Amino acid sequence: MSASLIVPLALSASLVVAGLSWWNVVLHRRLRAGRDREEARCSAGPSPEEEQWRRAALEAAGQADQLRLQLRETQRELASLSYSISHDMRAPLRGIDGFSQALAEDYGDCLDATAHDYLRRVRAGATQLNLLIEDLLSLSRIVRAPYRPEEVDLSALVAAAAGELSAAEPMRQLHWDVQSGVAALGDRALLDVALRHLLVNAWKFTAGRIAARISFRVLETPGPEWPPGVPVYEVRDNGVGFDMQYAGKLFGAFQKMHVPEDFPGGRGIGLATVQRIVARHGGSVRADATPQEGAAFTFSLTSAPAGGEPPGAEVALPAGRMPVPGPGMTVPRHPTNAR
Amino acid sequence: MSPPESAPSIQDKLILLVEDNPDDETLTLRALSKNGIRHRIEVVRDGVEALDFLFARGAHATRVGWGMPTVTLLDLKLPRVNGLEVLRQIRADARTRNLPVVVLTSSREDEDLIQSYGLGANSYIRKPVDFVQFMDAVRQVGNYWLILNEEPPGHVP
């Protein structure tokens, strides 16, 4: 059941989060527009225009509430599915692995080399399935994890991860080029996970390259594919790259670009995780690569322009000037906090 | 007076294994035996039976004189009464309050961990899928709780 069920669930949770972020922006803009008008107008009664705005704001609030309910429902479903997977799917695997081993131990003398090879394959299959289950659970944890926004020094996270990678394989010659002082508003733990997945990929796919290089920076002039004014971050390497023809599959769970013989150990969960983390921040991620020349992953963490308030920021309006849209309306918090 | 023949001496260390999955039961018993752990092992298959055994009631009413388990290996997802409720009742009763309870489960969900420790579990072990690792986990649990650890003063229900 797992992959076919949990991935769409995780995806729909991300979509709902993205939808909520978008509504927050819309609502916020409407509130701000209304506040500006409020300041400008004299003390006369509500104009037809104000009445229209008030209705629109109420409608937006209603739809945001509905999305929030939907999100909570999806998250609950995802949580109970994860719980069941965590408890119920491992036990049969333990049986497969354990009894294969028992067979080899207790009846090994009666089995020929082929039979032993089959048993070994059974156990390898159980191990692989267990790793996939672990990946699914960690992906669902990412979607369900609490979102606690703060000012995060992305450069420091990158530098720490780079140091660990280099320390783990000290023989590798690789030049790290990390722009310092790049900061963003986001959840530190989630951003750390996302950056690590990108850096580990870059590290892996530059193995064996001469003058290998991995860089991290904020783009000075992001391309037209990005909303204007939104900060865009980039992790770039000069590794083996990949064919952009298959880039569409890149961010799906368990999609791989390389055969396991060339790059063992990958299970195709890293970029799916990155995509969900970025989506939880209200941003998006793109891949760009050329075979044998390298790959670049660019991502944003908000859909609102720099300098403006990101969708994650709480909309705080001074009580006296708030364009009160009517009783019962709540100012939205960040959608992913509404758990 | 010597104890009835069916009841072993209370000096014998007893392991209570609360496990509903027959495969996991077989594998756990195999791992214990392969690791040279030859203590008495009582297997109960759900939470009700676990509590009946511990409090010597129901089907286990004649257990009087057996002593308490040196360690209880408790699965969480159990039929009828689940592992967390078993743990809660163990900690709520003066006779079993100090009983070493090791949660031995497949799950690593945060809520299971938090609740288990919150209810007073002595240890939380996630059963590895890999049998070699599982064997090693059982060996370490056995060595620690049956050999290294000093039992709380025993109670005879």
Side-chain angles (χ1 to χ4, degrees):
Chain A
M1 65 165 175
S2 62
S4 59
L5 201 52
I6 199 166
V7 171
L9 263 178
L11 191 64
S12 66
S14 314
L15 284 175
V16 172
V17 168
L20 271 172
S21 301
W22 180 74
W23 263 117
N24 255 355
V25 174
V26 169
L27 192 57
H28 180 57
R29 283 195 186 136
R30 287 185 185 178
L31 285 171
R32 192 154 51 187
R35 184 175 52 188
D36 293 347
R37 268 180 237 124
E38 180 88 357
E39 280 167 4
R41 87 186 169 117
C42 54
S43 58
S47 68
E49 193 195 344
E50 279 168 335
E51 197 51 44
Q52 193 185 359
W53 174 82
R54 197 181 110 119
R55 269 199 302 273
L58 271 175
E59 194 187 318
Q63 284 174 7
D65 278 347
Q66 208 173 344
L67 277 169
R68 240 190 311 277
L69 275 178
Q70 218 176 317
L71 172 67
R72 217 166 298 163
E73 190 48 45
T74 309
Q75 278 177 327
R76 218 189 338 260
E77 241 173 273
L78 190 59
S80 86
L81 186 66
S82 301
Y83 191 83
S84 163
I85 289 175
S86 195
H87 274 279
D88 301 332
M89 283 180 71
R90 281 212 186 85
L93 273 180
R94 194 162 36 248
I96 293 169
D97 190 72
F99 291 114
S100 309
Q101 164 117 350
L103 203 55
E105 277 176 13
D106 296 357
Y107 300 94
D109 294 345
C110 318
L111 301 173
D112 64 6
T114 310
H116 275 290
D117 180 51
Y118 289 167
L119 278 179
R120 189 191 55 75
R121 285 168 194 258
V122 169
R123 296 194 62 205
T127 304
Q128 179 69 9
L129 185 51
N130 183 44
L131 291 173
L132 294 175
I133 291 173
E134 294 284 334
D135 286 342
L136 280 175
L137 289 175
S138 72
L139 194 59
S140 93
R141 267 194 283 272
I142 291 293
V143 177
R144 291 181 291 146
Y147 176 90
R148 300 189 187 92
E150 59 178 308
E151 180 87 355
V152 181
D153 184 345
L154 298 179
S155 303
L157 292 182
V158 171
E164 287 171 30
L165 284 168
S166 294
E169 282 180 71
M171 297 307 286
R172 276 197 54 182
Q173 300 287 317
L174 184 139
H175 179 73
W176 289 98
D177 181 10
V178 180
Q179 182 183 344
S180 60
V182 178
L185 184 73
D187 183 284
R188 178 182 301 277
L190 289 175
L191 290 176
D192 192 35
V193 170
L195 283 168
R196 275 168 192 270
H197 277 301
L198 293 176
L199 294 169
V200 165
N201 275 353
W203 177 263
K204 186 161 90 178
F205 295 119
T206 47
R209 306 293 279 186
I210 296 160
R213 185 186 185 90
I214 299 174
S215 66
F216 171 74
R217 61 183 181 133
V218 60
L219 296 183
E220 275 173 27
T221 48
E225 65 275 22
W226 296 98
V230 165
V232 177
Y233 313 93
E234 179 195 73
V235 173
R236 177 179 287 274
D237 68 67
N238 63 351
V240 293
F242 54 84
D243 190 340
M244 282 301 283
Q245 196 185 331
Y246 309 112
K249 291 164 51 171
L250 210 52
F251 295 101
F254 305 125
Q255 299 289 348
K256 288 187 279 190
M257 284 285 149
H258 304 276
V259 292
E261 282 74 18
D262 292 348
F263 291 95
R267 293 190 299 277
I269 203 73
L271 291 177
T273 305
V274 170
Q275 192 275 331
R276 277 150 186 80
I277 290 175
V278 164
R280 282 203 64 176
H281 284 77
S284 57
V285 57
R286 300 176 59 89
D288 198 8
T290 311
Q292 299 312 318
E293 281 183 24
F297 288 87
T298 41
F299 62 95
S300 61
L301 293 171
T302 170
S303 50
E309 283 164 88
E314 189 150 340
V315 186
L317 297 172
R321 285 158 57 196
M322 174 142 175
V324 185
M329 178 188 163
T330 51
V331 177
R333 289 168 177 277
H334 191 275
T336 45
N337 265 346
R339 284 156 46 92
Chain B
M1 189 186 109
S2 61
E5 246 174 79
S6 59
S9 143
I10 56 166
Q11 272 78 37
D12 275 3
K13 288 187 177 175
L14 167 69
I15 301 168
L16 178 63
L17 175 64
V18 191
E19 174 64 72
D20 66 316
N21 182 322
D23 286 350
D24 269 359
E25 177 196 326
T26 306
L27 290 173
T28 307
L29 295 179
R30 181 180 171 88
L32 286 168
S33 132
K34 285 250 162 199
N35 281 309
I37 297 166
R38 306 255 181 259
H39 300 80
R40 275 195 313 123
I41 301 159
E42 182 73 23
V43 182
V44 290
R45 292 189 174 76
D46 65 40
V48 172
E49 209 190 336
L51 292 166
D52 280 354
F53 181 85
L54 288 170
F55 297 121
R57 64 192 189 201
H60 294 277
T62 58
R63 198 181 70 83
V64 177
W66 277 40
M68 280 294 174
T70 301
V71 63
T72 295
L73 305 178
L74 179 66
D75 195 6
L76 287 186
K77 210 174 174 198
L78 295 167
R80 301 204 280 175
V81 172
N82 72 27
L84 290 172
E85 176 58 23
V86 171
L87 183 56
R88 196 191 63 73
Q89 294 197 30
I90 286 174
R91 291 295 176 248
D93 193 295
R95 290 170 292 174
T96 50
R97 184 165 295 146
N98 296 325
L99 209 64
V101 175
V102 173
V103 172
L104 189 63
T105 179
S106 294
S107 152
R108 203 183 52 190
E109 289 289 295
D110 284 350
E111 65 180 287
D112 285 333
L113 267 163
I114 293 166
Q115 291 197 58
S116 295
Y117 279 116
L119 288 168
N122 296 82
S123 181
Y124 188 107
I125 315 282
R126 189 165 167 257
K127 289 185 229 175
V129 163
D130 183 296
F131 190 68
V132 175
Q133 292 172 23
F134 183 72
M135 284 272 292
D136 193 52
V138 169
R139 182 183 57 78
Q140 292 193 44
V141 168
N143 281 348
Y144 182 83
W145 290 103
L146 297 166
I147 297 167
L148 202 57
N149 187 54
E150 290 291 338
E151 288 182 69
H155 298 273
V156 181

